[in-house]
Amino acid sequence: MGEDLADLTPITPDGQLGPADQHPGIRDQEYRRRRHAVTAPVRGHQVGDPAPLVSYTESEHATWRAAHAALVAAHEGRVCPEVLAAREEARLPPDHVPQLSEVGARLRSLTGFDFTPAGGPVRNRRFLGALAEGYFHAAQYVRHPAMPLYTPEPDIIHDVFGHGAHLASPWFADLYRLVGAAAARAVSEDTLDLIGRVYWFSLEYGVVADRRGVRAYGAALLSSYGELRRLRLAEIRGWDIADIARTSYRTFGYQPVLFGVRSLDHLADALHEFLNDVDEDTGARLGLPTTGP
């Protein structure tokens, strides 16, 4: 039997699909050594510690420039106008990879948010909980130069270009803090996972679906050229917490299922309704299985 498309991810610049471990960002050992050199200085750092400066190469600056230009073009007509306005407020440089402190200083002046560096994958309790304190964990490494428009793992383009647009907006920043406050109250991993799924299908991969069509607002979509151009091919379901809680998501590749709200006001109402009341009994009320504390 052939490979399940759900297990595949783009591995070439022209969008050819293959196993994630064949992506050059994972397969190229020289690139992996460079990535390790960038991430090693922040392993073990405390949330809020200053991000170390990175001396980016011309190749990395070129990758940022290519991604920035392609994404700005892809946003037109595919991204909510409110998000486009926030992206402009963030003032993300088009010509060089920014330092986290460079963009963070602008965000602090707008919303009080800042970036804190991530040396690798960050567990839900730390990642989501830091949002309550106004910190977003961001990678500092740049995706592989052969694939400027897609990476299977979050990099600085995803974190700064995607989430930087959100965190320049007081409206979106309040929703991030709302997620963080709910995560900080969570006791069990099950409740934390539930909050994480709602975050994933909204602030990462959310869309507005109305009579005018489908437009992205989620940060992962804002930084994913291929997904923006194929939004019409995804299965768009209406916003439903129980459905979201039971839906598997992919940490690499394109998301086959997205959840649409009617408007950004609908999003705010839905997140407040869920996150203000979520507790250790919410999963049971939704009929979800438990894995223990």
Side-chain angles (χ1 to χ4, degrees):
M1 294 180 64
E3 292 176 287
D4 186 342
L5 286 178
D7 295 327
L8 303 181
T9 194
I11 61 172
T12 64
D14 61 1
Q16 177 183 331
L17 298 178
D21 62 7
Q22 294 303 303
H23 186 282
I26 296 175
R27 189 180 69 245
D28 184 338
Q29 292 306 307
E30 182 178 350
Y31 170 80
R32 299 295 292 184
R33 285 191 290 273
R34 168 59 179 168
R35 173 173 164 171
H36 177 75
V38 172
T39 60
V42 300
R43 295 194 187 280
H45 86 287
Q46 299 299 308
V47 173
D49 281 354
L53 296 179
V54 178
S55 181
Y56 290 107
T57 67
E58 177 50 36
S59 174
E60 288 165 336
H61 287 307
T63 299
W64 173 277
R65 288 194 293 269
H68 188 287
L71 288 168
V72 167
H75 282 190
E76 293 302 318
R78 299 182 179 94
V79 172
C80 294
E82 297 90 339
V83 178
L84 295 180
R87 188 196 73 201
E88 292 305 304
E89 281 295 309
R91 298 181 186 172
L92 303 171
D95 59 344
H96 67 275
V97 185
Q99 301 292 334
L100 293 188
S101 58
E102 178 184 347
V103 181
R106 174 66 179 166
L107 299 183
R108 287 197 305 275
S109 72
L110 294 170
T111 65
F113 252 92
D114 200 353
F115 290 120
T116 191
V122 182
R123 293 178 64 85
N124 260 354
R125 190 167 297 280
R126 175 174 169 135
F127 176 81
L128 297 176
L131 301 178
E133 305 302 321
Y135 288 104
F136 187 91
H137 283 80
Q140 292 179 283
Y141 72 90
V142 182
R143 61 192 58 179
H144 196 282
M147 293 284 286
L149 301 185
Y150 180 75
T151 174
E153 301 173 281
D155 71 332
I156 193 169
I157 295 172
H158 165 79
D159 287 334
V160 171
F161 190 94
H163 290 283
H166 280 180
L167 298 176
S169 160
W171 190 91
F172 273 105
D174 284 347
L175 295 183
Y176 278 73
R177 288 190 176 90
L178 183 69
V179 171
R185 296 195 311 270
V187 175
S188 69
E189 292 301 313
D190 289 322
T191 301
L192 200 61
D193 177 72
L194 176 56
I195 295 167
R197 285 174 186 266
V198 171
Y199 166 82
W200 182 270
F201 284 114
S202 58
L203 295 176
E204 287 283 2
Y205 279 98
V207 296
V208 170
D210 59 19
R211 58 184 176 79
R212 292 172 292 180
V214 177
R215 285 156 294 142
Y217 69 84
L221 295 175
L222 301 183
S223 59
S224 181
Y225 178 84
E227 282 179 285
L228 284 173
R229 293 178 61 85
R230 67 182 297 281
L231 278 179
R232 60 184 178 82
L233 300 180
E235 177 187 350
I236 309 295
R237 299 180 187 174
W239 183 267
D240 181 86
I241 290 293
D243 193 8
I244 289 170
R246 295 182 177 88
T247 300
S248 298
Y249 59 83
R250 304 181 62 196
T251 56
F252 61 85
Y254 296 158
Q255 297 296 319
V257 175
L258 302 174
F259 288 88
V261 290
R262 297 185 300 274
S263 66
L264 290 181
D265 285 339
H266 177 205
L267 169 68
D269 290 343
L271 289 183
H272 276 277
E273 179 180 5
F274 172 74
L275 294 169
N276 284 337
D277 295 332
V278 66
D279 57 27
E280 297 306 305
D281 297 322
T282 301
R285 290 196 297 271
L286 294 176
L288 302 178
T290 61
T291 59

